[in-house]
Amino acid sequence: MTFRLPSILPLFAAVILFLAPEPGYAQTVEPTPTLSLSGTGRVLTEPDMATIRAGVITQAATAKEALDENTARMTSVIQAFKDAGIPDTDLSTQNFSIQPEYRYDRSNNGVQKPPQIVSYRVENTAVVIVRDLDSLGGVLDTSVQVGANTISGPIFDVAGKGPLLDAARADAAEDALSKAEIYAETLGFELGPVMSITEGAIVRPQPKAMMMARAEMAIAADSPPVPIEGGEVGLSVTVQVTWEIEQE
């Protein structure tokens, strides 16, 4: 028996020949060599403002008793700040809470009894921005005298950061470029155009001093102002720069 090839096979062969790429048609694109480096710029300056947190913690047998005492003392604290020249815009409540305090007892056979409320704890904390640093020690002293029993800070800062941050950015860019030029000269290549610039972390001023007034501490009315030294604060910026490496 004789078999005949289907007449459509020549058409398939023609299509395959038509689709087959010519030798050397596909080319591999070489990636552009690049150099990517980070730079850091830092500017030091004297602070011109400070943030403190001052509050009152009270505890009593009932929530009302604890709240009434806390309200009276915190009202005096806030008024003391206002009398010291702190504007309302620089005073804000950060935290207010009323929490029961529990006692956990066990029976004679060691079984845990249901917890019992033994007192209530009320906490009210205000965030205060002091822009006259010469008055900071006296403000802290006065706030404790009128009722504050928890104080943390100060955190020193700079009000007008814009020009300082711009100077730090310029230093960061110069730092990255200086590193790139060293690599280029040492390894024998030329830097091409900048391909990308990415600004990284901006580090704000960090606390240079810290004090904590613990609950129920007392300061005599004739005590000298709390000594506070602002020192210097630093602003830093990091930048990531990528250059094209020129090929001969």
Side-chain angles (χ1 to χ4, degrees), residues 10-237:
L11 178 60
F12 284 151
V15 172
I16 293 173
L17 290 174
F18 178 78
L19 294 178
E22 296 179 1
Y25 178 81
Q27 297 181 357
T28 302
V29 178
E30 294 293 334
T32 301
T34 61
L35 173 65
S36 183
L37 293 170
S38 64
T40 302
R42 190 166 187 262
V43 176
L44 294 175
T45 187
E46 292 185 1
D48 57 13
M49 59 184 291
T51 301
I52 61 173
R53 288 168 174 78
V56 176
I57 298 174
T58 54
Q59 194 164 338
T62 67
K64 185 179 185 306
E65 291 174 337
L67 179 60
D68 288 347
E69 181 186 356
N70 192 287
T71 299
R73 294 172 63 173
M74 194 63 189
T75 299
S76 298
V77 171
I78 292 176
Q79 188 60 50
F81 287 132
K82 292 182 178 181
D83 292 342
I86 307 297
D88 292 343
T89 51
D90 288 340
L91 274 170
S92 61
T93 298
Q94 181 195 50
N95 174 61
F96 176 81
S97 65
I98 301 177
Q99 297 290 337
E101 298 289 322
Y102 293 96
R103 184 179 67 203
Y104 298 89
D105 295 330
R106 291 182 179 273
S107 61
N108 293 333
N109 59 2
V111 177
Q112 179 70 58
K113 293 181 179 180
Q116 293 182 329
I117 296 177
V118 295
S119 63
Y120 288 86
R121 174 188 172 97
V122 178
E123 182 174 355
N124 193 342
T125 304
V127 176
V128 186
I129 299 175
V130 180
R131 300 184 187 276
D132 179 11
L133 294 184
D134 291 337
S135 68
L136 180 56
V139 168
L140 292 171
D141 181 55
T142 301
S143 65
V144 174
Q145 291 184 31
V146 299
N149 56 17
T150 173
I151 297 178
S152 64
I155 298 177
F156 293 104
D157 204 345
V158 182
K161 299 184 185 70
L164 297 172
L165 287 174
D166 288 344
R169 289 184 177 99
D171 288 347
E174 291 178 2
D175 183 41
L177 178 59
S178 176
K179 294 175 184 176
E181 289 174 341
I182 291 174
Y183 282 114
E185 181 180 355
T186 303
L187 300 178
F189 61 83
E190 296 291 332
L191 290 175
V194 173
M195 300 181 67
S196 68
I197 302 175
T198 304
E199 186 173 279
I202 297 178
V203 180
R204 305 291 181 176
Q206 299 299 308
K208 300 292 288 187
M210 183 67 70
M211 66 163 288
M212 176 67 74
R214 298 186 180 276
E216 302 305 333
M217 80 175 183
I219 294 182
D222 58 350
S223 298
V226 178
I228 299 293
E229 297 293 335
E232 288 185 325
V233 294
L235 293 163
S236 64
V237 176

